C-alpha cells in the first residue's frame, strides 16, 4: 500500500520549524500516489506554513483509521 504523507510545518524565528501535524492518505498504486503528491505541491499554499508531500510504501498498512497492521505478515 502506498501512502501519501503530507507534513505541515510552522516557521519559527531563527530558522527553526515546528511540526503542526501530518495527513496521510492510502493509495493502491505508486502512480496514483505520485499524481496526488504533485497536485498537493502545486495547489497547497497555507499562509505561514511549509508543506511537504511524499509517497511511502508501507507493507502492512490497514485502512482502519490508518493503523499499521502486522497481523497479515
Amino acid at each position: 500500500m502506498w501512502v501519501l504523507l503530507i507534513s505541515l510545518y510552522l516557521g519559527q524565528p531563527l530558522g527553526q520549524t515546528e511540526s503542526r501535524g501530518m495527513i496521510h492518505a492510502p493509495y493502491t498504486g505508486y502512480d496514483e500516489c505520485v499524481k496526488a503528491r504533485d497536485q498537493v505541491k502545486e495547489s497547497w499554499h497555507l499562509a505561514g506554513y511549509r508543506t511537504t508531500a511524499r509517497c511511502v510504501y508501507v507493507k502492512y498498512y490497514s485502512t482502519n483509521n490508518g493503523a499499521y497492521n502486522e497481523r497479515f505478515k
Side-chain angles (χ1 to χ4, degrees), residues 2 27-35 37 55:
W2 286 94
Y27 288 91
T28 55
Y30 177 72
D31 293 334
E32 294 174 348
C33 187
V34 169
K35 185 176 179 180
R37 179 196 67 191
C55 292

Side-chain angles (χ1 to χ4, degrees), residues 4-64:
L4 175 63
L5 300 176
I6 304 168
S7 303
L8 304 171
Y9 297 94
L10 181 61
Q12 297 293 321
L14 302 175
Q16 298 177 359
T17 58
E18 180 180 336
S19 175
R20 287 297 191 190
M22 183 177 294
I23 301 167
H24 53 95
Y27 288 91
T28 55
Y30 177 72
D31 293 334
E32 294 174 348
C33 187
V34 169
K35 185 176 179 180
R37 179 196 67 191
D38 293 342
Q39 288 176 339
V40 167
K41 287 183 177 182
E42 290 175 9
S43 61
W44 282 40
H45 302 285
L46 303 172
Y49 287 89
R50 186 180 73 169
T51 61
T52 59
R54 60 191 176 274
C55 292
V56 177
Y57 182 75
V58 179
K59 188 173 183 178
Y60 303 110
Y61 184 84
S62 170
T63 56
N64 183 17

